[in-house]
Amino acid sequence: MEPVLSPSPWETIGRLADLFTRLDTARGIPAEQQWTLQVLKLTEEVGESAQAVIGAWATNPRKGQSHTWGHVQEEVADAAITSLVSLHRMLGDEAPAFFEALLARKAARFFDLDDDTGAPPREGA
């Protein structure tokens, strides 16, 4: 059975975050510990991405080519999802605006490098 997703990715992220928070709260885990464990889960997902790259390149002589680039893409997506769920668990409904503002600020640093003037990035970007 296919899960029914919310109309927007952030709504789905919010539903996942709320579910995980409810489950952890029912287990008696305080909020900051929940956030810590969620960030550790993110670290696990990044490690799985790295493992998939190693498998796609077949650099582990014991395993050979154990993964495809499709596996790598799925693991990277899992890391992104886990990251956004982590952010939502910490910030709640403020997570989308926080993420979008931070993305714009960080991206501006790189776009400043691409302005064809050769000037260094703006101060404070």
Side-chain angles (χ1 to χ4, degrees):
M1 173 184 237
E2 293 275 330
V4 177
L5 299 179
S6 299
S8 79
W10 274 111
E11 287 181 55
T12 303
I13 293 296
R15 288 179 62 201
L16 288 169
D18 292 347
L19 171 64
F20 299 150
T21 296
R22 280 194 313 274
L23 293 172
D24 285 348
T25 299
R27 294 175 50 216
I29 301 172
E32 287 187 4
Q33 187 176 358
Q34 291 180 34
W35 303 343
T36 302
L37 293 170
Q38 186 71 37
V39 172
L40 291 175
K41 178 65 177 165
L42 172 59
T43 303
E44 177 190 15
E45 295 298 341
V46 171
E48 290 174 6
S49 298
Q51 183 179 19
V53 169
I54 289 168
W57 277 102
T59 58
N60 183 334
R62 291 181 301 108
K63 296 182 181 180
Q65 187 168 13
S66 58
H67 292 76
T68 65
W69 285 102
H71 293 123
V72 175
Q73 293 160 2
E74 288 182 22
E75 295 299 343
V76 169
D78 283 348
I81 293 164
T82 302
S83 180
L84 294 176
V85 168
S86 299
L87 195 59
H88 200 286
R89 290 185 77 179
M90 290 184 265
L91 294 174
D93 291 338
E94 295 174 25
F98 175 87
F99 177 78
E100 290 168 18
L102 186 61
L103 175 61
R105 193 171 78 235
K106 297 221 177 230
R109 295 179 190 172
F110 291 97
F111 296 141
D112 284 348
L113 293 174
D114 192 35
D115 69 2
D116 294 330
T117 67
R122 293 188 320 257
E123 193 65 30

Coordinates of all heavy atoms in Angstrom, one line a residue, residues 15-101:
R15 N 4.6 16.2 9.0 CA 3.9 15.0 9.5 C 4.9 14.0 10.0 O 4.6 13.4 11.1 CB 3.0 14.5 8.4 CG 1.8 15.3 8.1 CD 1.0 14.7 7.0 NE 0.4 13.4 7.3 CZ 0.0 12.5 6.5 NH1 0.0 12.8 5.2 NH2 -0.5 11.4 6.9
L16 N 6.0 13.8 9.3 CA 7.0 12.8 9.8 C 7.6 13.3 11.1 O 7.7 12.5 12.1 CB 8.1 12.7 8.7 CG 7.7 11.9 7.5 CD1 8.8 12.0 6.4 CD2 7.5 10.4 7.9
A17 N 7.9 14.6 11.2 CA 8.5 15.2 12.4 C 7.6 15.0 13.6 O 8.0 14.6 14.7 CB 8.9 16.6 12.2
D18 N 6.3 15.3 13.3 CA 5.3 15.2 14.4 C 5.2 13.8 14.9 O 5.1 13.5 16.1 CB 4.0 15.8 14.0 CG 4.0 17.3 13.8 OD1 5.0 18.0 14.2 OD2 3.0 17.8 13.1
L19 N 5.2 12.8 13.9 CA 5.0 11.4 14.3 C 6.2 11.0 15.1 O 6.0 10.4 16.2 CB 5.0 10.6 13.0 CG 5.1 9.1 13.2 CD1 3.9 8.5 14.0 CD2 5.2 8.3 11.9
F20 N 7.5 11.3 14.7 CA 8.6 10.9 15.4 C 8.7 11.5 16.8 O 9.1 10.9 17.8 CB 9.9 11.2 14.7 CG 10.0 10.5 13.3 CD1 10.7 11.0 12.3 CD2 9.4 9.2 13.1 CE1 10.7 10.4 11.0 CE2 9.4 8.6 11.9 CZ 10.1 9.2 10.8
T21 N 8.2 12.8 16.9 CA 8.2 13.5 18.2 C 7.2 12.8 19.1 O 7.5 12.6 20.3 CB 7.9 15.0 18.0 OG1 9.0 15.6 17.2 CG2 7.7 15.7 19.3
R22 N 6.0 12.5 18.6 CA 5.0 11.8 19.4 C 5.6 10.5 20.0 O 5.4 10.1 21.1 CB 3.7 11.6 18.7 CG 2.8 12.8 18.6 CD 1.4 12.4 18.1 NE 1.3 11.5 16.9 CZ 1.4 12.0 15.7 NH1 1.5 13.3 15.4 NH2 1.3 11.1 14.7
L23 N 6.2 9.7 19.1 CA 6.7 8.4 19.5 C 7.8 8.5 20.5 O 7.8 7.8 21.5 CB 7.2 7.6 18.2 CG 6.2 7.2 17.2 CD1 6.9 6.6 16.0 CD2 5.2 6.2 17.8
D24 N 8.7 9.5 20.3 CA 9.8 9.7 21.3 C 9.3 10.2 22.6 O 9.8 9.8 23.7 CB 10.9 10.6 20.7 CG 11.8 9.9 19.7 OD1 11.7 8.7 19.6 OD2 12.5 10.6 19.0
T25 N 8.3 11.1 22.6 CA 7.7 11.7 23.8 C 7.0 10.6 24.6 O 7.1 10.5 25.8 CB 6.8 12.8 23.4 OG1 7.5 13.8 22.7 CG2 6.1 13.4 24.7
A26 N 6.3 9.7 23.9 CA 5.7 8.6 24.5 C 6.7 7.6 25.2 O 6.3 7.0 26.2 CB 4.8 7.8 23.5
R27 N 7.9 7.6 24.7 CA 9.0 6.8 25.3 C 9.7 7.6 26.5 O 10.6 7.1 27.1 CB 10.0 6.4 24.3 CG 9.4 5.5 23.3 CD 10.4 5.1 22.1 NE 11.7 4.7 22.6 CZ 12.8 5.0 22.0 NH1 12.8 5.7 20.9 NH2 14.0 4.6 22.5
G28 N 9.2 8.8 26.7 CA 9.8 9.6 27.8 C 11.1 10.3 27.5 O 11.8 10.7 28.4
I29 N 11.4 10.5 26.2 CA 12.6 11.2 25.8 C 12.4 12.7 25.7 O 11.4 13.1 25.0 CB 13.1 10.6 24.4 CG1 13.3 9.1 24.5 CG2 14.3 11.4 24.0 CD1 13.6 8.5 23.1
P30 N 13.2 13.5 26.5 CA 13.0 14.9 26.5 C 13.3 15.5 25.1 O 14.1 14.9 24.3 CB 14.0 15.4 27.5 CG 14.6 14.3 28.1 CD 14.2 13.0 27.4
A31 N 12.8 16.7 24.8 CA 12.9 17.3 23.5 C 14.4 17.4 23.0 O 14.7 17.0 21.9 CB 12.2 18.7 23.5
E32 N 15.3 18.0 23.8 CA 16.6 18.2 23.3 C 17.3 16.8 23.0 O 18.1 16.7 22.1 CB 17.4 19.0 24.3 CG 17.0 20.5 24.2 CD 17.9 21.4 25.0 OE1 18.9 21.0 25.6 OE2 17.6 22.6 25.0
Q33 N 17.0 15.8 23.8 CA 17.6 14.5 23.5 C 17.0 13.9 22.2 O 17.7 13.3 21.5 CB 17.3 13.5 24.7 CG 18.0 12.2 24.5 CD 17.8 11.3 25.7 OE1 17.2 11.7 26.7 NE2 18.4 10.1 25.6
Q34 N 15.7 14.2 22.0 CA 15.1 13.8 20.7 C 15.8 14.4 19.5 O 16.1 13.8 18.5 CB 13.6 14.2 20.6 CG 12.7 13.4 21.6 CD 11.3 13.8 21.5 OE1 10.8 14.2 20.4 NE2 10.6 13.8 22.6
W35 N 16.1 15.7 19.7 CA 16.9 16.4 18.6 C 18.2 15.8 18.4 O 18.7 15.7 17.2 CB 17.0 17.9 18.9 CG 15.7 18.6 19.2 CD1 14.4 18.2 18.8 CD2 15.5 19.9 19.8 NE1 13.5 19.1 19.2 CE2 14.1 20.2 19.8 CE3 16.4 20.8 20.4 CZ2 13.6 21.3 20.4 CZ3 15.9 22.0 20.9 CH2 14.5 22.2 20.9
T36 N 18.9 15.5 19.5 CA 20.2 14.9 19.4 C 20.2 13.6 18.7 O 21.0 13.3 17.8 CB 20.8 14.8 20.8 OG1 20.9 16.1 21.4 CG2 22.2 14.2 20.8
L37 N 19.2 12.8 19.0 CA 19.1 11.5 18.4 C 18.8 11.6 16.9 O 19.2 10.8 16.1 CB 18.1 10.6 19.1 CG 18.5 10.2 20.6 CD1 17.3 9.6 21.3 CD2 19.7 9.3 20.6
Q38 N 18.0 12.6 16.6 CA 17.6 12.8 15.2 C 18.8 13.3 14.4 O 19.0 12.8 13.3 CB 16.5 13.9 15.1 CG 16.0 14.1 13.7 CD 15.1 12.9 13.2 OE1 14.4 12.3 13.9 NE2 15.3 12.6 11.9
V39 N 19.7 14.1 15.0 CA 20.9 14.5 14.3 C 21.8 13.3 14.1 O 22.5 13.1 13.1 CB 21.6 15.7 15.0 CG1 23.0 16.0 14.4 CG2 20.7 16.9 14.9
L40 N 21.9 12.4 15.1 CA 22.7 11.2 15.0 C 22.1 10.3 13.9 O 22.9 9.7 13.1 CB 22.7 10.4 16.3 CG 23.5 11.1 17.4 CD1 23.4 10.3 18.7 CD2 25.0 11.3 17.0
K41 N 20.8 10.3 13.7 CA 20.2 9.6 12.6 C 20.6 10.2 11.3 O 20.9 9.4 10.3 CB 18.7 9.6 12.7 CG 17.9 8.9 11.6 CD 18.2 7.4 11.6 CE 17.3 6.8 10.5 NZ 17.8 5.4 10.2
L42 N 20.8 11.5 11.2 CA 21.3 12.1 10.0 C 22.7 11.7 9.7 O 23.0 11.4 8.5 CB 21.2 13.7 10.2 CG 21.9 14.5 9.1 CD1 21.3 14.2 7.7 CD2 21.8 16.0 9.4
T43 N 23.5 11.6 10.7 CA 24.9 11.1 10.5 C 24.9 9.7 10.0 O 25.7 9.4 9.1 CB 25.6 11.2 11.9 OG1 25.6 12.5 12.4 CG2 27.1 10.7 11.8
E44 N 24.0 8.9 10.5 CA 23.9 7.5 10.0 C 23.5 7.5 8.5 O 24.1 6.7 7.7 CB 22.8 6.7 10.8 CG 22.6 5.3 10.3 CD 21.3 4.7 10.9 OE1 20.5 5.4 11.5 OE2 21.2 3.5 10.7
E45 N 22.6 8.3 8.1 CA 22.2 8.4 6.7 C 23.3 8.9 5.8 O 23.5 8.4 4.7 CB 21.0 9.3 6.5 CG 19.7 8.8 7.2 CD 19.2 7.5 6.6 OE1 19.6 7.0 5.5 OE2 18.4 6.8 7.4
V46 N 24.1 9.9 6.3 CA 25.3 10.3 5.5 C 26.3 9.2 5.3 O 26.8 9.0 4.3 CB 25.9 11.6 6.1 CG1 27.2 11.9 5.5 CG2 24.9 12.7 6.0
G47 N 26.5 8.4 6.4 CA 27.4 7.3 6.3 C 26.9 6.2 5.3 O 27.7 5.6 4.6
E48 N 25.6 6.0 5.3 CA 25.0 5.1 4.3 C 25.2 5.6 2.8 O 25.5 4.8 1.9 CB 23.5 4.8 4.6 CG 23.3 4.0 5.8 CD 21.9 3.8 6.2 OE1 21.0 4.3 5.4 OE2 21.6 3.3 7.3
S49 N 25.2 6.9 2.7 CA 25.5 7.5 1.4 C 26.9 7.3 1.0 O 27.2 6.9 -0.2 CB 25.2 9.1 1.4 OG 23.9 9.4 1.7
A50 N 27.8 7.4 1.9 CA 29.2 7.2 1.7 C 29.5 5.7 1.3 O 30.2 5.3 0.4 CB 30.1 7.6 2.9
Q51 N 28.8 4.8 2.1 CA 28.9 3.4 1.8 C 28.4 3.0 0.4 O 29.1 2.2 -0.3 CB 28.1 2.6 2.9 CG 28.2 1.1 2.7 CD 27.4 0.4 3.8 OE1 26.5 1.0 4.4 NE2 27.8 -0.9 4.0
A52 N 27.4 3.7 0.0 CA 26.8 3.4 -1.4 C 27.8 3.9 -2.4 O 28.0 3.2 -3.5 CB 25.5 4.1 -1.5
V53 N 28.5 5.1 -2.2 CA 29.5 5.5 -3.2 C 30.6 4.6 -3.2 O 31.1 4.2 -4.3 CB 30.0 6.9 -2.8 CG1 31.2 7.3 -3.6 CG2 28.9 8.0 -2.9
I54 N 31.1 4.1 -2.1 CA 32.2 3.1 -2.1 C 31.8 1.8 -2.9 O 32.5 1.3 -3.7 CB 32.6 2.7 -0.6 CG1 33.3 3.9 0.0 CG2 33.4 1.5 -0.6 CD1 33.5 3.8 1.5
G55 N 30.5 1.4 -2.7 CA 30.0 0.3 -3.4 C 29.8 0.5 -4.9 O 30.0 -0.4 -5.7
A56 N 29.4 1.7 -5.3 CA 29.3 2.1 -6.7 C 30.6 2.1 -7.4 O 30.7 1.7 -8.6 CB 28.5 3.4 -6.8
W57 N 31.6 2.6 -6.7 CA 33.0 2.6 -7.3 C 33.7 1.3 -7.1 O 34.8 1.1 -7.6 CB 33.8 3.7 -6.6 CG 33.6 5.1 -7.2 CD1 32.8 6.1 -6.6 CD2 34.1 5.6 -8.4 NE1 32.9 7.2 -7.5 CE2 33.6 6.9 -8.5 CE3 34.9 5.0 -9.4 CZ2 33.9 7.7 -9.6 CZ3 35.2 5.8 -10.5 CH2 34.8 7.1 -10.6
A58 N 33.1 0.3 -6.3 CA 33.7 -1.0 -6.1 C 35.1 -0.9 -5.5 O 36.0 -1.7 -5.8 CB 33.8 -1.8 -7.4
T59 N 35.3 0.0 -4.5 CA 36.6 0.2 -3.9 C 36.8 -0.7 -2.7 O 37.9 -0.7 -2.2 CB 36.8 1.7 -3.5 OG1 35.8 2.1 -2.6 CG2 36.9 2.5 -4.8
N60 N 35.8 -1.4 -2.3 CA 36.0 -2.4 -1.2 C 36.3 -3.8 -1.8 O 35.4 -4.4 -2.4 CB 34.8 -2.5 -0.3 CG 34.9 -3.4 0.9 OD1 35.7 -4.4 0.8 ND2 34.2 -3.1 1.9
P61 N 37.5 -4.3 -1.7 CA 37.8 -5.5 -2.4 C 37.0 -6.7 -2.0 O 36.9 -7.7 -2.7 CB 39.3 -5.7 -2.2 CG 39.7 -4.8 -1.1 CD 38.6 -3.7 -1.0
R62 N 36.5 -6.7 -0.7 CA 35.7 -7.8 -0.3 C 34.3 -7.8 -0.9 O 33.7 -8.9 -1.0 CB 35.6 -7.8 1.3 CG 36.9 -8.1 2.0 CD 36.7 -8.0 3.5 NE 36.2 -6.7 4.0 CZ 35.0 -6.5 4.5 NH1 34.1 -7.5 4.5 NH2 34.6 -5.3 4.9
K63 N 33.8 -6.7 -1.2 CA 32.4 -6.6 -1.7 C 32.3 -6.3 -3.2 O 31.2 -6.6 -3.7 CB 31.7 -5.5 -0.9 CG 31.6 -5.8 0.6 CD 30.8 -4.7 1.3 CE 30.7 -4.9 2.8 NZ 30.0 -3.9 3.5
G64 N 33.3 -5.7 -3.8 CA 33.2 -5.4 -5.2 C 32.1 -4.3 -5.4 O 31.9 -3.5 -4.5
Q65 N 31.5 -4.4 -6.6 CA 30.4 -3.4 -6.9 C 29.1 -3.8 -6.2 O 28.4 -4.5 -6.8 CB 30.3 -3.1 -8.4 CG 29.3 -2.0 -8.7 CD 29.4 -1.6 -10.1 OE1 29.8 -2.3 -11.0 NE2 28.8 -0.4 -10.4
S66 N 28.9 -3.3 -5.0 CA 27.8 -3.7 -4.2 C 26.6 -2.7 -4.3 O 25.5 -3.0 -3.9 CB 28.2 -3.8 -2.7 OG 28.7 -2.6 -2.3
H67 N 26.8 -1.6 -5.0 CA 25.8 -0.5 -5.1 C 25.8 0.1 -6.5 O 26.8 0.0 -7.2 CB 26.0 0.6 -4.1 CG 25.7 0.2 -2.7 ND1 26.7 -0.6 -1.9 CD2 24.7 0.4 -1.8 CE1 26.2 -0.8 -0.7 NE2 25.0 -0.2 -0.6
T68 N 24.7 0.7 -6.8 CA 24.6 1.4 -8.1 C 24.5 2.9 -7.7 O 24.3 3.3 -6.6 CB 23.4 1.0 -8.9 OG1 22.2 1.5 -8.2 CG2 23.3 -0.5 -9.2
W69 N 24.6 3.8 -8.8 CA 24.4 5.2 -8.5 C 23.0 5.5 -8.2 O 22.7 6.5 -7.5 CB 24.9 6.0 -9.7 CG 26.4 6.1 -9.7 CD1 27.2 5.3 -10.5 CD2 27.2 6.8 -8.8 NE1 28.5 5.6 -10.2 CE2 28.6 6.5 -9.1 CE3 27.0 7.7 -7.8 CZ2 29.7 7.0 -8.4 CZ3 28.1 8.2 -7.1 CH2 29.4 7.9 -7.4
G70 N 22.1 4.6 -8.5 CA 20.7 4.8 -8.1 C 20.6 4.6 -6.6 O 19.8 5.3 -5.9
H71 N 21.4 3.7 -6.0 CA 21.4 3.5 -4.6 C 22.0 4.7 -3.9 O 21.5 5.2 -2.9 CB 22.3 2.3 -4.2 CG 21.7 1.0 -4.5 ND1 22.4 0.1 -5.3 CD2 20.6 0.4 -4.3 CE1 21.7 -1.0 -5.5 NE2 20.6 -0.8 -4.9
V72 N 23.0 5.3 -4.5 CA 23.6 6.5 -3.9 C 22.6 7.6 -3.9 O 22.4 8.3 -2.9 CB 24.9 7.0 -4.8 CG1 25.4 8.3 -4.3 CG2 26.0 5.9 -4.7
Q73 N 21.8 7.8 -5.0 CA 20.8 8.9 -5.1 C 19.8 8.7 -4.0 O 19.3 9.6 -3.3 CB 20.2 8.9 -6.5 CG 21.2 9.3 -7.5 CD 20.7 8.9 -8.9 OE1 19.7 8.3 -9.1 NE2 21.6 9.2 -9.9
E74 N 19.3 7.4 -3.8 CA 18.4 7.2 -2.7 C 18.9 7.5 -1.3 O 18.2 8.1 -0.5 CB 17.9 5.7 -2.8 CG 17.0 5.4 -3.9 CD 16.6 3.9 -3.9 OE1 16.6 3.3 -2.9 OE2 16.2 3.5 -5.0
E75 N 20.2 7.1 -1.1 CA 20.8 7.4 0.2 C 20.9 8.9 0.4 O 20.7 9.4 1.5 CB 22.1 6.7 0.4 CG 22.0 5.2 0.4 CD 21.1 4.6 1.6 OE1 20.9 5.3 2.5 OE2 20.7 3.5 1.5
V76 N 21.3 9.6 -0.6 CA 21.4 11.1 -0.5 C 20.1 11.7 -0.2 O 19.9 12.6 0.6 CB 22.1 11.7 -1.7 CG1 22.0 13.2 -1.8 CG2 23.6 11.3 -1.8
A77 N 19.1 11.2 -0.9 CA 17.7 11.7 -0.6 C 17.3 11.4 0.8 O 16.7 12.2 1.5 CB 16.7 11.1 -1.6
D78 N 17.6 10.2 1.3 CA 17.3 9.8 2.7 C 18.0 10.8 3.7 O 17.4 11.3 4.7 CB 17.8 8.4 3.0 CG 16.9 7.3 2.5 OD1 15.7 7.7 2.1 OD2 17.3 6.2 2.5
A79 N 19.2 11.2 3.4 CA 19.9 12.1 4.2 C 19.3 13.5 4.2 O 19.1 14.2 5.2 CB 21.4 12.3 3.8
A80 N 18.8 13.9 3.0 CA 18.1 15.2 2.9 C 16.8 15.2 3.6 O 16.5 16.2 4.4 CB 17.9 15.5 1.4
I81 N 16.0 14.1 3.5 CA 14.8 14.0 4.2 C 15.0 14.0 5.7 O 14.3 14.8 6.5 CB 14.0 12.7 3.8 CG1 13.6 12.8 2.4 CG2 12.8 12.4 4.8 CD1 13.2 11.5 1.8
T82 N 16.0 13.3 6.2 CA 16.3 13.2 7.6 C 16.8 14.6 8.1 O 16.4 15.0 9.2 CB 17.4 12.1 7.9 OG1 16.9 10.9 7.4 CG2 17.7 12.0 9.4
S83 N 17.5 15.3 7.3 CA 18.0 16.6 7.7 C 16.8 17.6 7.9 O 16.7 18.3 8.9 CB 18.9 17.2 6.6 OG 19.4 18.4 6.9
L84 N 15.9 17.6 6.9 CA 14.7 18.4 7.0 C 13.8 18.1 8.2 O 13.2 18.9 8.8 CB 14.0 18.5 5.7 CG 14.7 19.1 4.5 CD1 13.9 19.0 3.2 CD2 15.1 20.5 4.8
V85 N 13.6 16.8 8.4 CA 12.8 16.3 9.6 C 13.5 16.8 10.8 O 12.8 17.3 11.8 CB 12.7 14.8 9.5 CG1 12.1 14.3 10.9 CG2 11.7 14.4 8.4
S86 N 14.8 16.7 10.9 CA 15.6 17.2 12.1 C 15.3 18.7 12.3 O 15.0 19.1 13.4 CB 17.1 17.0 11.9 OG 17.4 15.7 11.8
L87 N 15.4 19.5 11.3 CA 15.1 20.9 11.4 C 13.7 21.2 11.8 O 13.5 22.0 12.7 CB 15.4 21.5 10.0 CG 15.5 23.0 10.0 CD1 16.7 23.5 10.9 CD2 15.8 23.5 8.5
H88 N 12.8 20.4 11.3 CA 11.3 20.6 11.6 C 11.1 20.2 13.1 O 10.3 20.9 13.8 CB 10.4 19.9 10.7 CG 9.0 20.4 10.7 ND1 8.2 20.2 11.8 CD2 8.3 21.1 9.8 CE1 7.0 20.7 11.5 NE2 7.1 21.3 10.3
R89 N 11.8 19.2 13.5 CA 11.6 18.8 14.9 C 12.1 19.9 15.9 O 11.6 20.0 17.0 CB 12.3 17.5 15.2 CG 11.5 16.3 14.5 CD 12.1 15.0 14.8 NE 11.7 14.6 16.2 CZ 12.0 13.4 16.7 NH1 12.9 12.6 16.1 NH2 11.6 13.1 17.9
M90 N 13.1 20.6 15.5 CA 13.7 21.7 16.3 C 12.9 23.0 16.2 O 12.7 23.7 17.2 CB 15.1 21.9 16.0 CG 16.0 20.7 16.4 SD 17.8 21.1 16.1 CE 18.0 20.3 14.5
L91 N 12.4 23.3 15.0 CA 11.8 24.6 14.8 C 10.3 24.6 14.6 O 9.7 25.6 14.5 CB 12.5 25.3 13.6 CG 14.0 25.6 13.8 CD1 14.5 26.2 12.4 CD2 14.1 26.7 14.9
G92 N 9.8 23.4 14.4 CA 8.3 23.3 14.1 C 8.0 24.0 12.8 O 8.7 23.9 11.8
D93 N 6.8 24.7 12.8 CA 6.4 25.3 11.6 C 7.2 26.5 11.1 O 7.0 27.0 10.0 CB 4.9 25.8 11.8 CG 3.9 24.7 11.9 OD1 4.2 23.6 11.5 OD2 2.8 24.9 12.5
E94 N 8.2 26.9 11.9 CA 9.1 27.9 11.4 C 10.2 27.4 10.5 O 11.0 28.1 9.9 CB 9.8 28.6 12.6 CG 8.8 29.4 13.5 CD 9.4 30.0 14.7 OE1 10.6 30.2 14.8 OE2 8.6 30.2 15.7
A95 N 10.4 26.0 10.5 CA 11.4 25.4 9.7 C 11.5 25.8 8.2 O 12.6 26.1 7.7 CB 11.3 23.9 9.8
P96 N 10.4 25.8 7.5 CA 10.5 26.2 6.1 C 11.0 27.6 5.9 O 11.9 27.8 5.0 CB 9.0 26.1 5.6 CG 8.4 25.1 6.5 CD 9.0 25.3 7.8
A97 N 10.6 28.6 6.6 CA 11.0 29.9 6.5 C 12.5 30.0 6.9 O 13.3 30.7 6.2 CB 10.2 30.9 7.3
F98 N 12.9 29.4 7.9 CA 14.3 29.4 8.4 C 15.2 28.8 7.3 O 16.2 29.4 6.9 CB 14.4 28.6 9.7 CG 15.9 28.4 10.1 CD1 16.5 29.4 10.9 CD2 16.6 27.3 9.8 CE1 17.8 29.2 11.4 CE2 17.9 27.2 10.2 CZ 18.5 28.1 11.0
F99 N 14.8 27.6 6.8 CA 15.5 26.9 5.7 C 15.7 27.8 4.5 O 16.8 28.0 3.9 CB 14.9 25.6 5.4 CG 15.6 24.9 4.3 CD1 16.8 24.2 4.5 CD2 15.1 24.9 3.0 CE1 17.5 23.5 3.5 CE2 15.8 24.2 2.0 CZ 16.9 23.5 2.2
E100 N 14.6 28.4 4.0 CA 14.6 29.2 2.8 C 15.5 30.4 3.0 O 16.2 30.8 2.0 CB 13.2 29.5 2.4 CG 12.4 28.3 1.9 CD 10.9 28.6 1.8 OE1 10.5 29.7 1.7 OE2 10.2 27.6 1.7
A101 N 15.4 31.1 4.1 CA 16.2 32.3 4.3 C 17.7 31.9 4.4 O 18.6 32.6 3.8 CB 15.8 33.0 5.6

